[in-house]
Amino acid sequence: MIRNFDQTDRRMLKFPAVHPCEAISPETLLNSLINLSQNICNYQPKLFSTQRKNARQTIRQIGLLLLFFEDTRDLRLALTDSVVLCFSELHHAFQKVQFLLEDCTREGAKLWILIKCQVVSTQFRALIRAIATALDVLPLGLIDVGVEVKELVELAGKQARNAKVEVDPEDERALQQVFSVLDHFEKGIEPDSSFMKRVLDHLEIRNWNDCNKEIKFLEEQIDFQYSDCNEREAPFLSSLLGLMNYCRGVIFETWNHRSNKSDARHSIEALSCINAEDFRCPISLELMTDPVTVSTGQTYDRSSIQRWLKAGNMTCPKTGERMTSTELVPNTTLRKLIQQFCTDVGVCASSSGGQSRDIARTISPGSPAAAEEMKFLSRFLARRLVFGSSEQKTKAAYEIRFLAKSNIFNRSCLIEAGTILPLINLLSSSSEHHAQEIAISALLKLSKHTSGKKEIVESGGLKPILAVLQRGLSLEAKQMAAAIIFYLASVKPYRKLIGETPEVVPTLVELIKDGTTCGKKNGVVAIFGLLLHSGNHQRVISSGTIPLLMDIFSSSDNDELIADSLAVLAAIAESVDGTLAILQTSALSTIPRILRSSASRAAREYSVTVLLSLCKNGGAEAISILAKDHSLMSSLYLLLTDGSSYGSSKARALMKLLHKFHETSSSGRDCFSSSM
């Protein structure tokens, strides 16, 4: 009878109560009322950080009625239709009371319930009056319970009618302090922390973990706002989120880092070969379908920059520099990478609007107050990294990792505040593996930002990161160092710089050999990034990468790792030297097997790309081996129908080569190799 809701099934302060059906038996209704009443009475006053008085008197009234319901059940009294109707109204009101109490005591919702204190008080008032109304019309004389019990019911009704439901003065004072603090931030003034400490004390937010729960709740509410297409409260929620981030970083100096070790390790990213954020047009924020480079060196989607130029603009939208020419140079390498990314994740560039909007939300602050809160917090963390104790530095790095995890604006503020150089210094000086993991993780998050990549390299961060990659104090730290190498390699000049460092590629190869699945993936994609510079191809080949990739094909059942390994093999196979090295392995038998059996479309399409390059660069001998595999053609036909445009084109090209080989072989002419 009682409808149970998971917290994720409904929004805060929404009460989807249902009236009991007309055909319900009195016994079932009464038992359900008792269960509801017991659930409500189980709420203890200590659970409420606000609305204590309103909750207490509501629970007390329902506690009185619980005795009445239990007595009625125990006496097995027959209930008239009018009594059942009143009980149904009480049941409906009690459902809403339970929802309201759930919201008032929800983990992480203390600040939000304080902000909504007037709304919550109004809800308590309405529900108490609904209970009073139902008791007013309850034909108590028709229910044969004891006099004492009837007096309890009358007392509950009287209390409900006379209840004074209002905002607690202490809640009101705390609310005004919150508004005052937000007003200071919005004006660019850092408020006295004692104001916020008083609010935190009132809400019983006593430590770092309590504050972090509030942050997670507010993030969830902002996501709900956007998913419901009702963004009216999103800016204010963003201000509160920024405030809680500020409190977590500035006010709560003590943090139980040991309880957060598992969180740091679970946050390690298993990268894929392509990072979506790097391939979105700075103007439209959509994945680029036709990337072109302008005279300032920035890349945009052709249609977006053409509209910009047509409007009479001659400045670069991203840098603000004046463009010396309107010439648009196609960026074919980037276009190919975007196509590979779309194949890998199973989307097309034109269908990425929802993801773009999610990213767009984090490019700008949610509100003016949120912007200032983040700037003040970033400067505080930068100072802590320079002047703090060892523990304070590690805690500051941990905060940076949290803040930069999925928010582009936060990353830019942290970089502008000067956090990267002291993070690099912390990385170099860390003698404890947990501190090193946190520092390298923070740098990883910042390396996703264009300015972060530049700052890391120009601040001399490459050498310490490579040192962690080689001699990190934990496997997790090495894996994150490999991920940073991947992000740095997305910048053209850095690919050459990193590749020319002798120990980089061999160390990545060792990670592929000995790492976990996550470590192998990060090592593979880092090598993929370095292969975008042709000068690194021979280094990758000579370091024994190809045999390791072949081992992955035979030993791993991770589809993503296999697909990424094939992507690297496809990049190697583009050169004649790479093809010759691959042909010395069992590739011509192994890769067709992957093409036939893999459930991953990305793996199948990369397989075709590798085979096509082997045929083009390896000549008739390679083609003749593939031509003997009679099942290969059916796999290629299948890819024509369910592959991406990129995969279909590769399959079509390989089919043409195989058909041409069969034609020349059947005609008895041996001229195929000369036409290659």
Side-chain angles (χ1 to χ4, degrees):
M1 181 65 205
I2 300 175
R3 186 179 179 188
N4 293 319
F5 282 84
D6 188 352
Q7 285 288 4
T8 58
D9 288 337
R10 67 180 180 90
R11 303 295 189 252
M12 288 286 288
L13 303 180
K14 302 292 183 184
F15 313 130
V18 293
H19 279 94
C21 64
E22 294 181 3
I24 189 172
S25 71
E27 182 182 6
T28 300
L29 176 61
L30 187 57
N31 285 330
S32 186
L33 258 176
I34 291 171
N35 288 336
L36 259 177
S37 302
Q38 289 172 339
N39 291 341
I40 291 169
C41 292
N42 285 335
Y43 281 91
Q44 302 297 319
K46 64 182 181 181
L47 298 175
F48 297 87
S49 58
T50 58
Q51 302 290 334
R52 292 185 182 91
K53 180 181 177 182
N54 294 335
R56 186 168 56 248
Q57 65 179 350
T58 303
I59 294 169
R60 183 172 61 245
Q61 291 161 14
I62 292 175
L64 295 174
L65 294 175
L66 174 60
L67 298 174
F68 164 58
F69 297 141
E70 290 176 335
D71 221 33
T72 303
R73 178 196 60 189
D74 294 343
L75 292 172
R76 299 181 180 276
L77 300 175
L79 302 178
T80 65
D81 290 345
S82 57
V83 172
V84 170
L85 180 62
C86 290
F87 279 8
S88 294
E89 291 301 317
L90 287 171
H91 191 283
H92 188 253
F94 284 12
Q95 289 178 63
K96 292 187 176 183
V97 169
Q98 184 173 3
F99 285 134
L100 184 57
L101 296 179
E102 284 177 1
D103 287 344
C104 289
T105 58
R106 179 169 172 177
E107 185 175 79
K110 293 177 179 179
L111 178 59
W112 187 235
I113 291 297
L114 174 65
I115 296 299
K116 292 289 186 179
C117 62
Q118 191 62 59
V119 174
V120 174
S121 293
T122 300
Q123 289 290 343
F124 271 114
R125 185 181 304 114
L127 292 173
I128 289 175
R129 287 178 178 173
I131 294 171
T133 300
L135 293 177
D136 283 342
V137 297
L138 176 68
L140 196 57
L142 300 178
I143 307 174
D144 192 17
V145 293
V147 175
E148 296 86 353
V149 174
K150 288 184 178 180
E151 288 177 351
L152 288 177
V153 176
E154 291 170 351
L155 176 61
K158 182 179 180 180
Q159 289 180 347
R161 285 190 298 274
N162 298 331
K164 291 185 178 180
V165 183
E166 55 192 8
V167 177
D168 187 287
E170 289 297 317
D171 291 348
E172 183 67 38
R173 274 192 288 273
L175 179 63
Q176 293 307 315
Q177 287 175 333
V178 172
F179 285 131
S180 175
V181 168
L182 292 178
D183 184 59
H184 274 73
F185 275 120
E186 189 165 344
K187 293 176 180 177
I189 303 169
E190 189 170 19
D192 191 325
S193 61
S194 62
F195 287 105
M196 203 57 217
K197 285 180 180 177
R198 284 197 288 270
V199 175
L200 296 173
D201 289 341
H202 176 72
L203 295 176
E204 298 176 348
I205 300 174
R206 297 190 174 95
N207 53 48
W208 190 97
N209 285 326
D210 288 345
C211 194
N212 196 48
K213 291 173 184 176
E214 298 289 313
I215 290 169
K216 289 180 178 179
F217 171 82
L218 291 169
E219 289 174 337
E220 180 183 272
Q221 296 308 303
I222 293 173
D223 288 341
F224 285 155
Q225 290 271 314
Y226 283 95
S227 64
D228 293 343
C229 297
N230 177 23
E231 303 167 19
R232 182 171 52 87
E233 291 186 319
F236 186 63
L237 282 163
S238 297
S239 298
L240 295 177
L241 176 61
L243 179 59
M244 285 293 100
N245 278 327
Y246 177 88
C247 291
R248 187 183 67 187
V250 175
I251 294 178
F252 294 112
E253 291 280 356
T254 303
W255 62 302
N256 185 5
H257 69 277
R258 298 190 183 279
S259 67
N260 292 307
K261 282 187 178 182
S262 61
D263 174 73
R265 296 191 178 192
H266 288 313
S267 74
I268 296 170
E269 300 177 42
L271 300 175
S272 185
C273 278
I274 309 298
N275 177 28
E277 292 179 21
D278 293 337
F279 303 134
R280 298 188 185 278
C281 175
I283 298 174
S284 68
L285 301 179
E286 300 285 349
L287 282 177
M288 291 181 279
T289 57
D290 187 9
V292 293
T293 302
V294 298
S295 60
T296 61
Q298 299 299 318
T299 300
Y300 303 90
D301 201 75
R302 184 185 294 275
S303 59
S304 298
I305 193 63
Q306 282 178 337
R307 285 195 299 270
W308 175 268
L309 295 171
K310 191 175 181 180
N313 300 301
M314 282 301 294
T315 56
C316 177
K318 190 171 182 179
T319 65
E321 299 174 50
R322 184 167 184 80
M323 291 185 283
T324 58
S325 168
T326 59
E327 182 183 7
L328 305 177
V329 180
N331 192 327
T332 54
T333 301
L334 183 58
R335 182 175 184 175
K336 179 180 178 181
L337 293 177
I338 293 171
Q339 290 171 336
Q340 289 175 337
F341 164 75
C342 293
T343 299
D344 194 30
V345 300
V347 301
C348 63
S350 60
S351 66
S352 58
Q355 295 175 335
S356 298
R357 284 189 293 273
D358 290 342
I359 292 175
R361 274 204 284 135
T362 74
I363 292 176
S364 302
S367 70
E372 295 303 320
E373 288 158 349
M374 188 61 221
K375 291 175 184 176
F376 279 118
L377 176 56
S378 297
R379 290 193 284 268
F380 173 86
L381 294 175
R383 291 194 298 271
R384 271 287 187 265
L385 285 171
V386 176
F387 302 110
S389 64
S390 176
E391 182 75 7
Q392 287 173 331
K393 289 178 180 179
T394 304
K395 195 251 184 185
Y398 195 72
E399 294 291 342
I400 291 170
R401 181 180 88 54
F402 260 87
L403 294 166
K405 184 176 182 180
S406 58
N407 191 292
I408 296 174
F409 178 76
N410 289 358
R411 291 173 195 163
S412 65
C413 286
L414 290 162
I415 293 166
E416 289 175 10
T419 59
I420 284 183
L421 180 57
L423 276 174
I424 293 170
N425 293 335
L426 177 61
L427 184 66
S428 302
S429 61
S430 296
S431 58
E432 201 268 323
H433 72 88
H434 182 55
Q436 187 179 79
E437 286 176 16
I438 291 175
I440 196 75
S441 180
L443 284 169
L444 171 56
K445 302 301 182 289
L446 296 180
S447 72
K448 297 180 181 182
H449 196 281
T450 303
S451 300
K453 298 177 182 68
K454 180 180 179 182
E455 193 69 25
I456 288 172
V457 174
E458 293 187 354
S459 298
L462 187 55
K463 186 175 180 180
I465 291 167
L466 293 178
V468 173
L469 181 63
Q470 287 183 285
R471 302 177 297 278
L473 299 175
S474 68
L475 183 57
E476 288 80 8
K478 293 180 180 180
Q479 291 171 175
M480 286 185 278
I484 295 178
I485 296 299
F486 167 70
Y487 285 115
L488 295 180
S490 67
V491 180
K492 189 174 181 179
Y494 300 160
R495 296 170 201 154
K496 183 175 183 292
L497 177 65
I498 297 169
E500 288 176 347
T501 306
E503 62 269 24
V504 173
V505 175
T507 306
L508 290 172
V509 169
E510 284 299 310
L511 185 60
I512 297 171
K513 181 180 178 182
D514 301 325
T516 62
T517 297
C518 175
K520 291 177 187 293
K521 278 181 63 65
N522 288 1
V524 165
V525 298
I527 285 179
F528 179 86
L530 295 175
L531 284 170
L532 296 177
H533 174 60
S534 59
N536 291 328
H537 278 233
Q538 191 55 49
R539 298 185 183 96
V540 170
I541 295 169
S542 60
S543 295
T545 306
I546 295 172
L548 278 180
L549 297 178
M550 298 304 299
D551 287 342
I552 287 173
F553 300 147
S554 59
S555 63
S556 176
D557 58 359
N558 185 289
D559 287 339
E560 290 184 358
L561 176 58
I562 291 172
D564 288 339
S565 300
L566 284 164
V568 172
L569 209 61
I572 294 172
E574 289 179 352
S575 68
V576 174
D577 288 345
T579 290
L580 294 177
I582 294 170
L583 288 175
Q584 293 176 19
T585 69
S586 60
L588 288 176
S589 59
T590 301
I591 295 177
R593 174 179 55 78
I594 297 173
L595 178 59
R596 287 191 301 269
S597 62
S598 178
S600 166
R601 191 177 74 176
R604 296 197 305 273
E605 295 192 351
Y606 284 133
S607 295
V608 174
T609 303
V610 175
L611 294 176
L612 181 60
S613 293
L614 295 182
C615 289
K616 287 183 174 179
N617 296 329
E621 185 177 351
I623 299 174
S624 65
I625 295 174
L626 292 180
K628 295 174 185 177
D629 186 345
H630 300 295
S631 64
L632 178 58
M633 198 63 75
S634 61
S635 299
L636 295 175
Y637 273 116
L638 186 61
L639 201 56
L640 281 177
T641 58
D642 71 351
S644 67
S645 58
Y646 172 80
S648 297
S649 67
K650 295 295 182 182
R652 192 175 296 108
L654 182 55
M655 289 169 68
K656 287 181 179 179
L657 281 177
L658 293 173
H659 280 308
K660 187 173 182 180
F661 177 83
H662 285 300
E663 289 171 2
T664 56
S665 298
S666 61
S667 65
R669 289 180 289 127
D670 189 20
C671 60
F672 189 87
S673 59
S674 62
S675 65
M676 291 297 291

